Amino acid sequence: MQMKFDFIRKDLLHYIKNEIKPMYKNFDKAHSTSHFNFVTNNCIEYGKELQKQGQDIDLEIAYVVGALHDIGISRGRENHAKSSGDMVRKDINLRQFYDDNIIEMLAQSVEDHSSHLAYEPRNIYGKIVADADRNNTMYLVFSRPTKYSIKNEKHLTRDEHIDKVYNFVQDKFGKNGYVKYWLNIPQTTKEQLRVWQLLDDEKSCKAYIGGIYDEIKKGKK
């Protein structure tokens, strides 16, 4: 079902669709227009869930933060979250829609989306985009690093790929991993528990990764 954008001003949506989203076409596959869609859709859905929980969430701002979060990659992958914040502060077009306080909040939000962040995001929209940017299903948690390993570690054997992905996911998404989810989103919590349970059963987990590996190698994924 196609997302409705009736909560966003038409001229602002036009700017995002025609000036911001096309930037993602020039980024790597992990940060492509598909990623733009994934994150912005999550931002909207998470915003709606928080509204149901009684929080005062502006869906337009949630969408805009999602759209802007990776624009700093245009300056390079390293420190791109900070670069995104700098670009938001300097974006003259955004000032047609928001005052200085909102611009600064947008900038802080995109700066705070990194999974390696050492502190809690400074505002609710930073938490929304941080969670929205995470792989939020068990399949994505395991399939994205498997695809990356196959593409970039061609010298590894099948078992070595599987071991590498298992250790990566354990370090990133495991119970003691560095990824933190900041929001109370039921589906995200459910998927996180599924990942933890699978990681606890190393044999079953590696069999699961192996199945994903075989699908990718056969060109099915």
Side-chain angles (χ1 to χ4, degrees):
M1 185 172 63
Q2 190 171 6
M3 179 74 69
K4 291 184 178 180
F5 293 96
D6 51 357
F7 50 83
I8 303 173
R9 284 168 283 180
K10 290 183 178 179
D11 46 354
L12 175 57
L13 181 61
H14 182 270
Y15 172 63
I16 296 295
K17 292 283 190 179
N18 291 279
E19 301 295 333
I20 300 300
K21 186 174 182 179
M23 295 174 67
Y24 287 72
K25 292 180 180 179
N26 299 316
F27 300 160
D28 59 277
K29 287 186 177 181
H31 301 89
S32 63
T33 53
S34 293
H35 180 68
F36 174 98
N37 293 333
F38 175 80
V39 174
T40 53
N41 287 343
N42 279 347
C43 283
I44 294 167
E45 293 305 318
Y46 293 177
K48 290 179 178 178
E49 176 61 32
L50 293 175
Q51 286 179 338
K52 291 178 183 177
Q53 296 175 15
Q55 296 199 45
D56 182 15
I57 302 297
D58 186 320
L59 294 181
E60 179 184 273
I61 291 178
Y63 172 80
V64 170
V65 167
L68 297 171
H69 82 286
D70 273 341
I71 58 174
I73 292 177
S74 60
R75 297 181 178 178
R77 282 288 301 276
E78 188 173 357
N79 297 320
H80 73 270
K82 185 178 185 304
S83 296
S84 294
D86 291 341
M87 292 173 69
V88 168
R89 292 185 180 95
K90 296 175 182 177
D91 190 326
I92 296 174
N93 293 292
L94 286 175
R95 295 186 179 278
Q96 299 176 35
F97 306 102
Y98 299 115
D99 62 24
D100 289 347
N101 290 331
I102 299 297
I103 292 292
E104 180 58 27
M105 182 178 71
L106 293 173
Q108 291 181 7
S109 299
V110 300
E111 286 176 342
D112 292 351
H113 83 268
S114 174
S115 59
H116 293 279
L117 196 69
Y119 57 89
E120 183 173 338
R122 287 165 283 181
N123 63 67
I124 187 60
Y125 297 100
K127 294 178 181 179
I128 289 174
V129 72
D131 280 19
D133 189 46
R134 312 286 188 259
N135 300 332
N136 63 350
T137 68
M138 188 170 75
Y139 180 77
L140 286 175
V141 164
F142 289 98
S143 65
R144 289 191 71 181
T146 303
K147 289 177 181 178
Y148 180 89
S149 184
I150 289 172
K151 180 180 178 181
N152 296 283
E153 306 284 351
K154 299 183 186 299
H155 62 285
L156 297 181
T157 66
R158 179 181 184 276
D159 286 345
E160 287 171 337
H161 279 293
I162 291 171
D163 288 344
K164 185 180 181 69
V165 171
Y166 175 81
N167 291 330
F168 172 83
V169 174
Q170 186 75 269
D171 290 342
K172 186 172 183 178
F173 292 99
K175 293 177 181 176
N176 297 313
Y178 60 84
V179 163
K180 299 291 185 292
Y181 291 99
W182 304 104
L183 306 176
N184 178 24
I185 304 296
Q187 186 61 30
T188 299
T189 301
K190 178 182 176 181
E191 292 294 320
Q192 184 180 41
L193 289 174
R194 290 181 68 203
V195 170
W196 288 352
Q197 290 170 356
L198 188 57
L199 287 169
D200 284 345
D201 185 345
E202 184 173 344
K203 183 177 179 179
S204 295
C205 188
K206 289 186 175 181
Y208 179 73
I209 298 168
I212 293 174
Y213 175 92
D214 293 338
E215 287 180 343
I216 295 169
K217 293 295 283 186
K218 291 175 182 176
K220 293 182 179 180
K221 295 293 182 182

